[in-house]
Amino acid sequence: MFRHSQLESVKAWIAHPAHVTMPLHARIQRAIRQLIVNGALASGKPLPASRALAKSLDVSRDTIEAAYSQLHAEGFIERRVGSGSFVAEMTDFSAGRRLSQRDALARNQAPNLSKRGNAMFRSGGVREQLVPRPFAPGLPETRSFPIQLWERLERQVLKETGTQALLHGNPQGTEPLRRAIADYVNLERGARATADRVLVLTSSQQALTLCANMLLDAGDSIFIEDPVYYGARRAFDAAGLIPVPVPVDRQGIIAEHILEDPLKAKAVFLTPSHQFPTGATLALDRRLALIEWASRHQAWIIEDDYDSEFRYTGKPTACVQGLDPHDRTIYIGTFTKSLFPGLRIGYIVLPPQLVKPMTVARTLLDGHTASVAQLTLARFMEGGHFGAHIRAMRNIYAERLEVLTKLVGIHLSEFIEPRVPIGGLQMPCLLTCEISERAAIDAARRVGIELLGLSPLHASGSGRAGFLMGFAAYTPAELEIAVKKLKTAFQNIKI
């Protein structure tokens, strides 16, 4: 018979919620097999008679016989007529158990990864909020999205395309969506795009990874804004690139630092329309200077236009790509912030010579973006719904920014100095008290509030302490509750 502990182990395995969907005989077979593999049942040890085990587990004898038959078929046990069932002699797992213990120790050590794998792992990746918590930045309001309209358009797509939409799609993206994107960025962003220059991807992060790996070699340098979007920096680090931080002022990246040492890097990464995280807009003369630098030295400009749709004061400036007559600018856009994150559609407008190489490289990552979502989005844009949604959300976000600014002035003025942006989905704030950035973030998290610190975004390590406060995804009432919680959390910090 099994010892009491072994019998209890089998019962626990059978009753575990993760196993209840399996047939009963399979659960019993797996539980006994696990005892053998773990070395709890050594080679040659007898198993309980099927009748006795059936009684102990309160199951039928046929169920035990089915479990034993499967163990025998897999070679874990031997069945001897007139003698019973025994753990197979040829299956000695005692050494394996000792090896497993060593493996358990090894699991706590650094994994044996490639250099690129280590760089990706050390970066920590890009983790988004699964459930929005104030004041997580970069999150749009999804509760106001016209989901019924979207469902109707999706049904139209499925009715007209039938099973064709269920097959593999064009890795460059469906032609209707590429055409709609080109029309949009030409009209609204002053770009120079055609449908054949658009590559539809799952996200701007995928676009950054493609650029890092296709345009530069490991060990090459790339100019980056300082501070910089963390997702871009991690993509470049993972590709083995050497970031060269360039300071940012109220007119964006200081181009003179690049022009003074033009050969120091082969590319520059920019968020010119709305610099992340400062919110600065890159001045026209600096844009033109960088365009000429890229042309003269055959360098690349990687332009991330991540939330340019949401500008609350003044007129939007044209994107750098639209000003570049030399085709040295790669323009990256996404629908994650303008529509909803679950859509998983971004895009990249490429110079003609890069379209085929980038499309081929994309097939090695994920093949293609889901056709049904692409075709639905194309109809959403062609029908004017995208523009209408953007205009509606721009008004909502402008109101929420105004509310947050007033709340910060009333409740948090002794702790922080807000830098009210002209656009975007988050507001940078600088700490003006003796509270450290880490202490502020930790205190906020304890009361259910998420803040993104500014210091880690500075590659040079010279930035002032502070954090971003996302406001777009939260109603005025939610913003007020969160600001008051944050005030209490800061007041309770022991300096």
Side-chain angles (χ1 to χ4, degrees), residues 273-316:
S273 299
H274 182 225
Q275 202 277 329
F276 187 95
T278 66
T281 298
L282 185 60
L284 179 60
D285 60 336
R286 296 184 182 183
R287 294 173 184 236
L288 298 176
L290 290 174
I291 288 171
E292 290 307 310
W293 162 79
S295 174
R296 187 177 307 113
H297 300 287
Q298 292 298 284
W300 298 106
I301 298 173
I302 303 172
E303 177 181 12
D304 186 1
D305 207 27
Y306 66 101
D307 65 1
S308 60
E309 294 88 357
F310 303 114
R311 188 180 179 97
Y312 312 123
T313 59
K315 295 182 178 180

Side-chain angles (χ1 to χ4, degrees), residues 172 174-175 177-180 182-183 193-199:
Q172 188 177 345
T174 64
E175 198 276 337
L177 180 57
R178 288 189 285 115
R179 185 176 61 247
D183 291 344
T194 55
D196 60 347
R197 294 177 61 172
V198 174
L199 172 60

Side-chain angles (χ1 to χ4, degrees), residues 154-399:
E154 187 175 66
R155 286 196 298 271
Q156 291 177 5
V157 167
L158 289 170
K159 183 177 180 180
E160 294 179 17
T161 60
T163 57
Q164 185 66 32
L166 308 182
L167 301 175
H168 285 290
N170 183 343
Q172 188 177 345
T174 64
E175 198 276 337
L177 180 57
R178 288 189 285 115
R179 185 176 61 247
I181 290 172
D183 291 344
Y184 169 73
V185 296
N186 288 342
L187 178 64
E188 298 294 337
R189 303 297 304 120
R192 297 167 54 250
T194 55
D196 60 347
R197 294 177 61 172
V198 174
L199 172 60
V200 178
L201 301 169
T202 56
S203 64
S204 58
Q205 193 65 38
Q206 187 180 44
L208 291 168
T209 298
L210 275 174
C211 289
N213 286 281
M214 292 295 289
L215 304 180
L216 300 158
D217 291 314
D220 285 346
S221 296
I222 180 170
F223 290 118
I224 63 170
E225 299 166 324
D226 191 38
V228 69
Y229 169 57
Y230 54 90
R233 185 176 174 187
R234 290 171 184 176
F236 301 151
D237 287 344
L241 308 186
I242 302 173
V244 180
V246 180
V248 170
D249 62 18
R250 294 184 180 274
Q251 292 185 309
I253 193 170
I254 303 177
E256 289 77 6
H257 288 231
I258 295 175
L259 304 180
E260 289 169 0
D261 196 355
L263 301 179
K264 195 170 184 178
K266 297 181 179 180
V268 60
F269 171 73
L270 303 173
T271 51
S273 299
H274 182 225
Q275 202 277 329
F276 187 95
T278 66
T281 298
L282 185 60
L284 179 60
D285 60 336
R286 296 184 182 183
R287 294 173 184 236
L288 298 176
L290 290 174
I291 288 171
E292 290 307 310
W293 162 79
S295 174
R296 187 177 307 113
H297 300 287
Q298 292 298 284
W300 298 106
I301 298 173
I302 303 172
E303 177 181 12
D304 186 1
D305 207 27
Y306 66 101
D307 65 1
S308 60
E309 294 88 357
F310 303 114
R311 188 180 179 97
Y312 312 123
T313 59
K315 295 182 178 180
T317 56
C319 64
V320 173
Q321 191 269 355
L323 301 173
D324 181 6
H326 313 294
D327 286 330
R328 304 302 303 179
T329 302
I330 296 98
Y331 177 91
I332 298 172
T334 179
F335 295 98
T336 293
K337 294 174 175 59
S338 56
L339 293 179
F340 55 94
L343 182 58
R344 305 316 301 149
I345 294 182
Y347 59 92
I348 186 168
V349 180
L350 295 162
Q353 68 271 30
L354 290 182
V355 174
K356 286 186 177 179
M358 287 287 201
T359 302
V360 170
R362 188 273 168 88
T363 65
L364 297 174
L365 297 178
D366 62 353
H368 63 93
T369 303
S371 297
V372 173
Q374 289 189 68
L375 293 170
T376 304
L377 176 56
R379 294 198 174 203
F380 192 75
M381 298 179 75
E382 291 164 355
H385 308 299
F386 180 69
H389 180 69
I390 292 299
R391 289 190 294 272
M393 300 316 295
R394 188 183 294 133
N395 292 332
I396 291 174
Y397 295 164
E399 177 192 357

Side-chain angles (χ1 to χ4, degrees), residues 39 77-78 149 196 263 309 341 363 376 388 419 434 445 473 475:
I77 68 173
E78 296 175 353
L149 169 62
D196 60 347
L263 301 179
E309 294 88 357
T363 65
T376 304
R419 297 291 175 89
E434 296 182 9
R445 193 163 292 161
T475 66

Side-chain angles (χ1 to χ4, degrees), residues 34-54:
Q34 197 62 45
L35 289 174
I36 296 171
V37 170
N38 291 342
L41 292 175
S43 296
K45 291 292 184 181
L47 297 180
S50 58
R51 189 185 305 276
L53 184 56

